[in-house]
Amino acid sequence: MPKVLIATEKPFAAEAAQKIKAELDNAKFAYTFLENYTDVKELHAALADAEAVIIRSDIMDEAAFAAAPKLKIVVRAGAGYDNIDLKAATAKGVIAMNTPGQNSNAVAELAIGMMIYMARGKFNGKSGSELSGKKLVLYGFGFVARYTARIAKGIGMEVYAYDPYLANEIMTKEGVKPLSKVEDIFKTGDYISLHIPATADTKKSINWSLLSLMKDNATLVNTARKEVIDEDDLLKTFAEKKKFRFVSDVEPGCAAELMEKYPERTYYTPKKMGAQTSEANTNSGVAAAKQIIAFFNNGDKTFKVN
Ligand code: 3PG
C-alpha cells in the first residue's frame, strides 16, 4: 500500500481534494494531506515516510529530498516545475513529473481577465478601451498560450505568437500568426503575454533590450514566473513609457515601488492564483494522483521530467 503525501501550502479546493482522495481510495493507496503549512519543517517532517508526494508550488529542494528517504516519485500538480530540484531528485533516484495542460485554461482566463481589468482602467468609472481589434502577442506557445489565444480570438483580438521550440504550423492551425524573432513580439503587441518557463536561460531575459522596443501604450502580462523579468528594467520601462501597463499573477519583487509610483498602471495578484479554480485544482490534482497510481501499478513514467 504505497503512502502518498499531498503537500500543498496553498491547498486544493475542497472538491478537488475529495476527488484526489476518491482516486487514491479506489486504488487502495494510503495518503495524508499537509495543507496551509507555515514552516518548511512541517513539510520535511511529513516527507519522512512518504513514498510519493503531490505538490503545487511547494519547494522540493535538496533538503526536502534529504528528508524523504522512502520517496520514489514527486508530481507537481501543475505545469511549471522550477520548484523541484531535478538534480537532487535524480541523485536520490526519485522520478519527477508535472501534469501539463491540466490547469491551463484557468491561467488563460486570468490572463485575459487582467487585460480587460487594465483596459477598463481597473473599473474606475472613466472611459477605457476594448481588447477587440488589438494585437495580442504570446511569448511561448504551450497550453496556457493556446487557451489564451482561443479566448482572445473570440473577443476579436489579432493573435500572434513566438516560440523558438515549435513549428509554425502549430500556431497557424490555431489561427495564430507566427513571428520569427523575439524582438518582433515586443514591437508588435498592444498586449504581450509571457508564457515561458523560468530556466537559467530565461531568468531576467525580459530586459530593456526587449522592453524598450514596446509601443508606448503596450501592456505586459505575466502569468509565468516573476524571475523571467528584469525588474530594474521593468521600472525603467514605467519611467520611460508613460502609458505602459503591467499585470502579473504573483507579487513582483518591486511591488512596493510600482504601487507607490504607478498604481494606476500596475496590477498584481496578492498570491499566485492563475490556477486557483476548483476545475484546475481537480484536473491537476486528480491527474497527479492517477500518474502516481499508474507509476506504482504499471511502472508508467509518462510525464517524467528528469
Ligand atoms: C503552474 O505552474 O502550474 C502554475 O504556476 C500554478 O501554480 P500553483 O499550483 O502554485 O497555483
Side-chain angles (χ1 to χ4, degrees), residues 54-80:
I54 296 175
I55 55 167
R56 294 185 63 180
S57 290
D58 307 80
I59 306 296
M60 285 298 293
D61 55 9
E62 225 174 333
F65 284 107
K70 297 183 181 169
L71 198 65
K72 308 266 182 313
I73 179 168
V74 50
V75 183
R76 196 279 190 243

PDB file of all heavy atoms in Angstrom, residues 54-80:
ATOM      1  N   ILE A  54       2.511  14.677  -3.835  1.00  0.00           N
ATOM      2  CA  ILE A  54       1.873  15.606  -4.778  1.00  0.00           C
ATOM      3  C   ILE A  54       2.090  17.006  -4.220  1.00  0.00           C
ATOM      4  O   ILE A  54       1.789  17.256  -3.043  1.00  0.00           O
ATOM      5  CB  ILE A  54       0.354  15.328  -4.918  1.00  0.00           C
ATOM      6  CG1 ILE A  54       0.119  13.936  -5.515  1.00  0.00           C
ATOM      7  CG2 ILE A  54      -0.320  16.410  -5.772  1.00  0.00           C
ATOM      8  CD1 ILE A  54      -1.356  13.524  -5.571  1.00  0.00           C
ATOM      9  N   ILE A  55       2.630  17.891  -5.056  1.00  0.00           N
ATOM     10  CA  ILE A  55       2.867  19.272  -4.615  1.00  0.00           C
ATOM     11  C   ILE A  55       2.285  20.253  -5.620  1.00  0.00           C
ATOM     12  O   ILE A  55       1.922  19.862  -6.734  1.00  0.00           O
ATOM     13  CB  ILE A  55       4.390  19.554  -4.461  1.00  0.00           C
ATOM     14  CG1 ILE A  55       5.124  19.228  -5.774  1.00  0.00           C
ATOM     15  CG2 ILE A  55       4.976  18.817  -3.288  1.00  0.00           C
ATOM     16  CD1 ILE A  55       6.541  19.764  -5.833  1.00  0.00           C
ATOM     17  N   ARG A  56       2.231  21.511  -5.209  1.00  0.00           N
ATOM     18  CA  ARG A  56       1.904  22.593  -6.151  1.00  0.00           C
ATOM     19  C   ARG A  56       3.180  23.418  -6.313  1.00  0.00           C
ATOM     20  O   ARG A  56       4.133  22.927  -6.887  1.00  0.00           O
ATOM     21  CB  ARG A  56       0.705  23.401  -5.635  1.00  0.00           C
ATOM     22  CG  ARG A  56      -0.569  22.548  -5.606  1.00  0.00           C
ATOM     23  CD  ARG A  56      -1.779  23.330  -5.222  1.00  0.00           C
ATOM     24  NE  ARG A  56      -2.070  24.376  -6.197  1.00  0.00           N
ATOM     25  CZ  ARG A  56      -3.081  25.220  -6.104  1.00  0.00           C
ATOM     26  NH1 ARG A  56      -3.898  25.148  -5.062  1.00  0.00           N
ATOM     27  NH2 ARG A  56      -3.305  26.119  -7.023  1.00  0.00           N
ATOM     28  N   SER A  57       3.202  24.642  -5.763  1.00  0.00           N
ATOM     29  CA  SER A  57       4.444  25.422  -5.861  1.00  0.00           C
ATOM     30  C   SER A  57       5.375  25.146  -4.679  1.00  0.00           C
ATOM     31  O   SER A  57       6.339  25.873  -4.449  1.00  0.00           O
ATOM     32  CB  SER A  57       4.120  26.918  -5.941  1.00  0.00           C
ATOM     33  OG  SER A  57       3.536  27.203  -7.186  1.00  0.00           O
ATOM     34  N   ASP A  58       5.062  24.107  -3.935  1.00  0.00           N
ATOM     35  CA  ASP A  58       5.847  23.738  -2.750  1.00  0.00           C
ATOM     36  C   ASP A  58       7.281  23.380  -3.161  1.00  0.00           C
ATOM     37  O   ASP A  58       7.494  22.793  -4.214  1.00  0.00           O
ATOM     38  CB  ASP A  58       5.154  22.555  -2.060  1.00  0.00           C
ATOM     39  CG  ASP A  58       3.691  22.876  -1.803  1.00  0.00           C
ATOM     40  OD1 ASP A  58       2.877  22.755  -2.771  1.00  0.00           O
ATOM     41  OD2 ASP A  58       3.365  23.300  -0.706  1.00  0.00           O
ATOM     42  N   ILE A  59       8.221  23.756  -2.298  1.00  0.00           N
ATOM     43  CA  ILE A  59       9.632  23.635  -2.677  1.00  0.00           C
ATOM     44  C   ILE A  59      10.192  22.243  -2.357  1.00  0.00           C
ATOM     45  O   ILE A  59      10.278  21.840  -1.194  1.00  0.00           O
ATOM     46  CB  ILE A  59      10.481  24.709  -1.939  1.00  0.00           C
ATOM     47  CG1 ILE A  59       9.916  26.116  -2.188  1.00  0.00           C
ATOM     48  CG2 ILE A  59      11.948  24.613  -2.347  1.00  0.00           C
ATOM     49  CD1 ILE A  59       9.970  26.595  -3.620  1.00  0.00           C
ATOM     50  N   MET A  60      10.575  21.555  -3.405  1.00  0.00           N
ATOM     51  CA  MET A  60      11.262  20.279  -3.234  1.00  0.00           C
ATOM     52  C   MET A  60      12.733  20.498  -3.607  1.00  0.00           C
ATOM     53  O   MET A  60      13.147  20.286  -4.753  1.00  0.00           O
ATOM     54  CB  MET A  60      10.622  19.201  -4.121  1.00  0.00           C
ATOM     55  CG  MET A  60       9.277  18.697  -3.604  1.00  0.00           C
ATOM     56  SD  MET A  60       9.340  17.892  -1.960  1.00  0.00           S
ATOM     57  CE  MET A  60      10.287  16.429  -2.286  1.00  0.00           C
ATOM     58  N   ASP A  61      13.506  20.951  -2.628  1.00  0.00           N
ATOM     59  CA  ASP A  61      14.931  21.191  -2.850  1.00  0.00           C
ATOM     60  C   ASP A  61      15.734  20.039  -2.242  1.00  0.00           C
ATOM     61  O   ASP A  61      15.165  19.033  -1.808  1.00  0.00           O
ATOM     62  CB  ASP A  61      15.336  22.562  -2.275  1.00  0.00           C
ATOM     63  CG  ASP A  61      14.964  22.687  -0.805  1.00  0.00           C
ATOM     64  OD1 ASP A  61      14.554  21.667  -0.181  1.00  0.00           O
ATOM     65  OD2 ASP A  61      15.065  23.795  -0.255  1.00  0.00           O
ATOM     66  N   GLU A  62      17.044  20.217  -2.197  1.00  0.00           N
ATOM     67  CA  GLU A  62      17.908  19.156  -1.688  1.00  0.00           C
ATOM     68  C   GLU A  62      17.521  18.742  -0.265  1.00  0.00           C
ATOM     69  O   GLU A  62      17.472  17.560   0.057  1.00  0.00           O
ATOM     70  CB  GLU A  62      19.352  19.667  -1.697  1.00  0.00           C
ATOM     71  CG  GLU A  62      20.289  18.658  -2.258  1.00  0.00           C
ATOM     72  CD  GLU A  62      21.698  19.208  -2.418  1.00  0.00           C
ATOM     73  OE1 GLU A  62      21.864  20.434  -2.577  1.00  0.00           O
ATOM     74  OE2 GLU A  62      22.613  18.393  -2.367  1.00  0.00           O
ATOM     75  N   ALA A  63      17.214  19.748   0.571  1.00  0.00           N
ATOM     76  CA  ALA A  63      16.856  19.459   1.967  1.00  0.00           C
ATOM     77  C   ALA A  63      15.566  18.644   2.033  1.00  0.00           C
ATOM     78  O   ALA A  63      15.436  17.727   2.865  1.00  0.00           O
ATOM     79  CB  ALA A  63      16.690  20.771   2.734  1.00  0.00           C
ATOM     80  N   ALA A  64      14.619  18.958   1.157  1.00  0.00           N
ATOM     81  CA  ALA A  64      13.348  18.215   1.151  1.00  0.00           C
ATOM     82  C   ALA A  64      13.600  16.761   0.731  1.00  0.00           C
ATOM     83  O   ALA A  64      13.056  15.827   1.339  1.00  0.00           O
ATOM     84  CB  ALA A  64      12.346  18.880   0.208  1.00  0.00           C
ATOM     85  N   PHE A  65      14.423  16.572  -0.293  1.00  0.00           N
ATOM     86  CA  PHE A  65      14.700  15.191  -0.719  1.00  0.00           C
ATOM     87  C   PHE A  65      15.478  14.438   0.373  1.00  0.00           C
ATOM     88  O   PHE A  65      15.246  13.248   0.591  1.00  0.00           O
ATOM     89  CB  PHE A  65      15.466  15.175  -2.049  1.00  0.00           C
ATOM     90  CG  PHE A  65      14.570  15.478  -3.226  1.00  0.00           C
ATOM     91  CD1 PHE A  65      14.648  16.697  -3.887  1.00  0.00           C
ATOM     92  CD2 PHE A  65      13.629  14.548  -3.649  1.00  0.00           C
ATOM     93  CE1 PHE A  65      13.805  16.988  -4.953  1.00  0.00           C
ATOM     94  CE2 PHE A  65      12.779  14.830  -4.718  1.00  0.00           C
ATOM     95  CZ  PHE A  65      12.870  16.053  -5.377  1.00  0.00           C
ATOM     96  N   ALA A  66      16.361  15.158   1.061  1.00  0.00           N
ATOM     97  CA  ALA A  66      17.128  14.516   2.141  1.00  0.00           C
ATOM     98  C   ALA A  66      16.189  14.068   3.263  1.00  0.00           C
ATOM     99  O   ALA A  66      16.451  13.074   3.952  1.00  0.00           O
ATOM    100  CB  ALA A  66      18.169  15.488   2.685  1.00  0.00           C
ATOM    101  N   ALA A  67      15.080  14.781   3.436  1.00  0.00           N
ATOM    102  CA  ALA A  67      14.112  14.451   4.495  1.00  0.00           C
ATOM    103  C   ALA A  67      13.138  13.350   4.063  1.00  0.00           C
ATOM    104  O   ALA A  67      12.244  12.984   4.821  1.00  0.00           O
ATOM    105  CB  ALA A  67      13.333  15.711   4.876  1.00  0.00           C
ATOM    106  N   ALA A  68      13.307  12.840   2.829  1.00  0.00           N
ATOM    107  CA  ALA A  68      12.323  11.895   2.266  1.00  0.00           C
ATOM    108  C   ALA A  68      13.005  10.600   1.820  1.00  0.00           C
ATOM    109  O   ALA A  68      13.075  10.300   0.628  1.00  0.00           O
ATOM    110  CB  ALA A  68      11.618  12.563   1.089  1.00  0.00           C
ATOM    111  N   PRO A  69      13.501   9.810   2.776  1.00  0.00           N
ATOM    112  CA  PRO A  69      14.303   8.630   2.401  1.00  0.00           C
ATOM    113  C   PRO A  69      13.539   7.568   1.607  1.00  0.00           C
ATOM    114  O   PRO A  69      14.157   6.773   0.909  1.00  0.00           O
ATOM    115  CB  PRO A  69      14.769   8.083   3.762  1.00  0.00           C
ATOM    116  CG  PRO A  69      13.797   8.628   4.754  1.00  0.00           C
ATOM    117  CD  PRO A  69      13.354   9.953   4.230  1.00  0.00           C
ATOM    118  N   LYS A  70      12.196   7.550   1.744  1.00  0.00           N
ATOM    119  CA  LYS A  70      11.429   6.493   1.057  1.00  0.00           C
ATOM    120  C   LYS A  70      10.830   6.959  -0.269  1.00  0.00           C
ATOM    121  O   LYS A  70      10.145   6.204  -0.950  1.00  0.00           O
ATOM    122  CB  LYS A  70      10.287   6.023   1.969  1.00  0.00           C
ATOM    123  CG  LYS A  70      10.777   5.400   3.254  1.00  0.00           C
ATOM    124  CD  LYS A  70       9.593   4.905   4.061  1.00  0.00           C
ATOM    125  CE  LYS A  70      10.073   4.302   5.369  1.00  0.00           C
ATOM    126  NZ  LYS A  70       8.956   4.062   6.283  1.00  0.00           N
ATOM    127  N   LEU A  71      11.072   8.221  -0.602  1.00  0.00           N
ATOM    128  CA  LEU A  71      10.376   8.817  -1.756  1.00  0.00           C
ATOM    129  C   LEU A  71      10.799   8.193  -3.083  1.00  0.00           C
ATOM    130  O   LEU A  71      11.985   8.025  -3.358  1.00  0.00           O
ATOM    131  CB  LEU A  71      10.651  10.338  -1.787  1.00  0.00           C
ATOM    132  CG  LEU A  71       9.697  11.168  -2.634  1.00  0.00           C
ATOM    133  CD1 LEU A  71       8.276  11.121  -2.073  1.00  0.00           C
ATOM    134  CD2 LEU A  71      10.173  12.625  -2.704  1.00  0.00           C
ATOM    135  N   LYS A  72       9.780   7.858  -3.911  1.00  0.00           N
ATOM    136  CA  LYS A  72      10.054   7.296  -5.249  1.00  0.00           C
ATOM    137  C   LYS A  72       9.618   8.262  -6.341  1.00  0.00           C
ATOM    138  O   LYS A  72      10.149   8.239  -7.445  1.00  0.00           O
ATOM    139  CB  LYS A  72       9.248   5.988  -5.457  1.00  0.00           C
ATOM    140  CG  LYS A  72       9.396   4.945  -4.382  1.00  0.00           C
ATOM    141  CD  LYS A  72      10.490   3.964  -4.764  1.00  0.00           C
ATOM    142  CE  LYS A  72      10.672   2.861  -3.749  1.00  0.00           C
ATOM    143  NZ  LYS A  72      10.743   3.302  -2.350  1.00  0.00           N
ATOM    144  N   ILE A  73       8.606   9.093  -6.033  1.00  0.00           N
ATOM    145  CA  ILE A  73       8.050   9.946  -7.089  1.00  0.00           C
ATOM    146  C   ILE A  73       7.488  11.246  -6.508  1.00  0.00           C
ATOM    147  O   ILE A  73       6.850  11.225  -5.440  1.00  0.00           O
ATOM    148  CB  ILE A  73       6.963   9.177  -7.900  1.00  0.00           C
ATOM    149  CG1 ILE A  73       6.344  10.065  -8.993  1.00  0.00           C
ATOM    150  CG2 ILE A  73       5.887   8.580  -7.012  1.00  0.00           C
ATOM    151  CD1 ILE A  73       5.484   9.296  -9.995  1.00  0.00           C
ATOM    152  N   VAL A  74       7.761  12.343  -7.187  1.00  0.00           N
ATOM    153  CA  VAL A  74       7.144  13.629  -6.837  1.00  0.00           C
ATOM    154  C   VAL A  74       6.391  14.117  -8.066  1.00  0.00           C
ATOM    155  O   VAL A  74       6.951  14.137  -9.168  1.00  0.00           O
ATOM    156  CB  VAL A  74       8.182  14.665  -6.346  1.00  0.00           C
ATOM    157  CG1 VAL A  74       9.376  14.796  -7.293  1.00  0.00           C
ATOM    158  CG2 VAL A  74       7.559  16.046  -6.173  1.00  0.00           C
ATOM    159  N   VAL A  75       5.124  14.462  -7.879  1.00  0.00           N
ATOM    160  CA  VAL A  75       4.350  15.003  -9.008  1.00  0.00           C
ATOM    161  C   VAL A  75       3.916  16.423  -8.673  1.00  0.00           C
ATOM    162  O   VAL A  75       3.232  16.661  -7.669  1.00  0.00           O
ATOM    163  CB  VAL A  75       3.120  14.139  -9.358  1.00  0.00           C
ATOM    164  CG1 VAL A  75       2.404  14.727 -10.580  1.00  0.00           C
ATOM    165  CG2 VAL A  75       3.524  12.711  -9.644  1.00  0.00           C
ATOM    166  N   ARG A  76       4.327  17.333  -9.526  1.00  0.00           N
ATOM    167  CA  ARG A  76       3.917  18.732  -9.414  1.00  0.00           C
ATOM    168  C   ARG A  76       2.548  18.828 -10.100  1.00  0.00           C
ATOM    169  O   ARG A  76       2.456  18.628 -11.321  1.00  0.00           O
ATOM    170  CB  ARG A  76       4.969  19.591 -10.150  1.00  0.00           C
ATOM    171  CG  ARG A  76       4.910  21.058  -9.824  1.00  0.00           C
ATOM    172  CD  ARG A  76       3.831  21.760 -10.611  1.00  0.00           C
ATOM    173  NE  ARG A  76       3.977  23.186 -10.437  1.00  0.00           N
ATOM    174  CZ  ARG A  76       3.068  23.969  -9.870  1.00  0.00           C
ATOM    175  NH1 ARG A  76       1.932  23.470  -9.405  1.00  0.00           N
ATOM    176  NH2 ARG A  76       3.272  25.262  -9.779  1.00  0.00           N
ATOM    177  N   ALA A  77       1.499  19.035  -9.307  1.00  0.00           N
ATOM    178  CA  ALA A  77       0.160  19.178  -9.883  1.00  0.00           C
ATOM    179  C   ALA A  77       0.085  20.553 -10.533  1.00  0.00           C
ATOM    180  O   ALA A  77      -0.301  21.538  -9.914  1.00  0.00           O
ATOM    181  CB  ALA A  77      -0.903  19.015  -8.804  1.00  0.00           C
ATOM    182  N   GLY A  78       0.524  20.621 -11.764  1.00  0.00           N
ATOM    183  CA  GLY A  78       0.602  21.896 -12.470  1.00  0.00           C
ATOM    184  C   GLY A  78       1.632  21.801 -13.576  1.00  0.00           C
ATOM    185  O   GLY A  78       2.112  20.712 -13.902  1.00  0.00           O
ATOM    186  N   ALA A  79       1.994  22.953 -14.111  1.00  0.00           N
ATOM    187  CA  ALA A  79       2.865  22.968 -15.286  1.00  0.00           C
ATOM    188  C   ALA A  79       4.326  23.210 -14.934  1.00  0.00           C
ATOM    189  O   ALA A  79       5.204  22.404 -15.236  1.00  0.00           O
ATOM    190  CB  ALA A  79       2.375  24.046 -16.246  1.00  0.00           C
ATOM    191  N   GLY A  80       4.599  24.351 -14.272  1.00  0.00           N
ATOM    192  CA  GLY A  80       5.990  24.759 -14.024  1.00  0.00           C
ATOM    193  C   GLY A  80       6.585  23.963 -12.880  1.00  0.00           C
ATOM    194  O   GLY A  80       6.006  23.864 -11.806  1.00  0.00           O
TER     195      GLY A  80
END
